[in-house]
Amino acid sequence: MNEYCIKYGLNEDRLPQHVAIIMDGNGRWAKKRLWNRLVGHRAGADAVDAVTTLCREIGVKYLTLYAFSTENWKRPEAEVTGLMELFKEFLVSKKNLLIEKNIRLNIIGSRDRFLPELLKLMNETIAETEKYDPEMTLTLALSYGSRQEIVSAVKKIAEKIAIHEITPENIDEKMISENLYTFDIPDPDLVIRTSGEYRISNYLLWQIAYSEFYFTDTLWPDFNREELIRALKDYAGRERRFGKTGDQVKG
Ligand code: FPP
């Protein structure tokens, strides 16, 4: 029995294996206080800490956080630069903790627009945290867009057809999954979106086919341990049918 599950009143057998989060509301959180949006992102980074720690404690195996979308490059330059700085600081300050807690860092998204310094830090942290069998995988979606991910998977498969390595008949769901950035992680069981928005925003479109959704009005910087526990308890009460009837699932 996991002592933290007992402490927080969570049923260990009904925990999601993979939680994916759309961390929304940093800007509004800052605006309400008449602060710069970047202060909101900084507060958002603290919420990342709290959520990662709790997931590791209770035994959630995969946590995937939408930290920067392909569309976010269109934000004002100062905000983009500030966010890149924050990602760098996160990698530098958390590397040892990730290693100590046996958390593997994984990054999904397109790498071509990141500056070399950030890229180097990403690659180093990924390499240093993948040495051992991890207790948990923390995936950051950075410069990530799901449609672009699917396009890239289709191109990879088409190239194999072009060189006669496979035929179109060989294409199946498994092959598509294996050619996505998420090839080595299972599909999310639970997707959480904060800040009262009810959108998917180009996040893991293929992977969320059978995920459960949890929406909360809480702005991301206010999303704390209690909020996550509430979401997990809500998830524990859901019946996942995967297209079957309720009786089939129970039987
Ligand atoms: C969406 O809120 C949030 C982002 C685009 C950035 C998410 C980044 C963090 C939580 C910072 C730290 C992350 C890591 C991994 C260190 P928004 O800016 O769109 O908020 P708004 O809709 O209220 O304007």
Side-chain angles (χ1 to χ4, degrees):
M1 283 291 265
N2 177 301
E3 56 175 311
Y4 291 98
C5 286
I6 298 170
K7 182 174 163 191
Y8 300 127
L10 290 163
N11 181 347
E12 205 178 337
D13 299 330
R14 294 195 63 86
L15 275 186
Q17 184 190 19
H18 183 177
V19 177
I21 307 184
I22 303 178
M23 310 182 288
D24 196 9
N26 296 349
R28 275 164 285 165
W29 184 91
K31 197 173 174 188
K32 273 200 328 198
R33 293 160 175 81
L34 305 178
W35 291 339
N36 184 292
R37 294 177 58 83
L38 280 170
V39 183
H41 293 314
R42 281 199 175 272
D46 293 339
V48 167
D49 272 6
V51 164
T52 307
T53 304
L54 181 66
C55 284
R56 172 67 180 82
E57 285 172 352
I58 60 177
V60 167
K61 292 285 173 204
Y62 299 89
L63 174 64
T64 301
L65 303 174
Y66 204 3
F68 195 84
S69 72
T70 41
E71 290 73 27
N72 288 153
W73 288 109
K74 296 181 200 135
R75 291 194 173 195
E77 202 186 322
E79 184 170 344
V80 171
T81 312
L83 276 167
M84 294 302 135
E85 200 49 50
L86 205 51
F87 300 143
K88 266 198 285 187
E89 280 176 33
F90 177 82
L91 295 172
V92 171
S93 65
K94 302 293 172 212
K95 190 168 84 179
N96 286 340
L97 193 68
L98 294 175
I99 295 169
E100 190 186 308
K101 298 283 176 199
N102 206 1
I103 300 174
R104 171 173 85 100
L105 179 78
N106 180 36
I107 294 182
I108 56 171
S110 147
R111 302 275 170 94
D112 24 308
R113 290 182 73 175
F114 294 118
L115 291 174
E117 199 189 340
L118 179 54
L119 264 181
K120 186 166 171 276
L121 273 171
M122 285 178 180
N123 291 333
E124 276 171 12
T125 316
I126 291 169
E128 293 206 34
T129 58
E130 72 182 2
K131 285 183 191 158
Y132 309 99
D133 196 19
E135 282 297 325
M136 177 181 150
T137 297
L138 169 65
T139 300
L140 299 182
L142 286 175
S143 193
Y144 175 85
S146 188
R147 286 187 170 186
Q148 179 262 324
E149 175 186 34
I150 293 169
V151 168
S152 138
V154 170
K155 280 186 184 159
K156 282 190 235 166
I157 295 169
E159 277 160 19
K160 286 184 194 140
I161 294 176
I163 59 165
H164 304 289
E165 197 180 305
I166 57 165
T167 67
E169 287 67 41
N170 297 129
I171 301 173
D172 57 10
E173 292 187 12
K174 187 165 168 278
M175 186 183 288
I176 294 178
S177 295
E178 284 169 356
N179 281 281
L180 297 172
Y181 295 133
T182 50
F183 67 95
D184 60 349
I185 57 178
D187 290 342
D189 301 296
L190 172 65
V191 177
I192 298 172
R193 181 166 190 149
T194 58
S195 91
E197 307 289 353
Y198 298 85
R199 289 190 290 274
I200 286 303
S201 302
N202 207 9
Y203 191 43
L204 304 172
L205 299 178
W206 174 271
Q207 298 88 336
I208 59 171
Y210 287 103
S211 304
E212 296 291 325
F213 287 84
Y214 181 88
F215 296 99
T216 168
D217 287 340
T218 303
L219 301 174
W220 176 250
D222 293 326
F223 192 87
N224 52 21
R225 296 167 83 88
E226 289 69 37
E227 293 274 347
L228 179 57
I229 291 165
R230 199 170 302 139
L232 294 170
K233 286 186 176 167
D234 188 273
Y235 170 86
R238 309 259 182 110
E239 179 185 72
R240 301 186 74 194
R241 296 195 196 139
F242 301 97
K244 295 182 181 171
T245 66
D247 287 343
Q248 282 177 308
V249 173
K250 283 187 199 101

